[in-house]
Amino acid sequence: AGNRKAIQGKNSPVFIHSRKGIAQLSQFGDLGQMYLNMSGAESESVFADTWGQSLKSTLINSRSIGVTFASASLVGPAFPSAASIGGPYASGLIGELEAVAKMISKRAETGNEREVYHTQIYGYDTHQDTRGKFGYLMAQLDQALVAFKGEMVAQGLWEHVAIAIASDFGRSISA
């Protein structure tokens, strides 16, 4: 007991599901206190203490951030519906970017100096009709980014947002 926690960040990461919003323990009301009691026990192991504290902060933070996210609203042009964009991959990206925009709109309430969000779009592993599929996927990505940019401009934050796109294809680097 009394070990200092060697490995611990300030905040736990937040997971945003493209259709469900912030990932929360849905039975928090029923099980939350039991989890908090379990994670509060001290241990001789620095790793057990770290894990217990991380579990506790994750449960509390996810609930708090979920409430914040639920009250978020957007001020810019509406994000396109998944049906209007088409394709199973773009609809997930649109939902994720819309959720990110909502979280950014609540930045004053999160208390974080900087926030980093990670979204994903799948479907680029094409083996047939690569040119046609790739163009279609780029059009979906473009529509999603245009909608996100419109919201960031409306929030007055576009000049403060950085977007990085990465892929594991084109695996070789040349000078």
Side-chain angles (χ1 to χ4, degrees), residues 15 60 69 87 89 136 140 150 160 172:
F15 297 96
I60 292 168
F69 177 78
Y89 306 112
Y136 174 72
Q140 290 181 17
H160 303 283
S172 60

Side-chain angles (χ1 to χ4, degrees), residues 102-121:
K102 285 181 178 180
M103 284 305 298
I104 290 172
S105 78
K106 292 295 197 169
R107 69 196 174 283
E109 295 175 36
T110 63
N112 295 322
E113 185 177 323
R114 289 178 186 83
E115 296 177 333
V116 176
Y117 298 92
H118 174 264
T119 62
Q120 297 183 121
I121 183 171

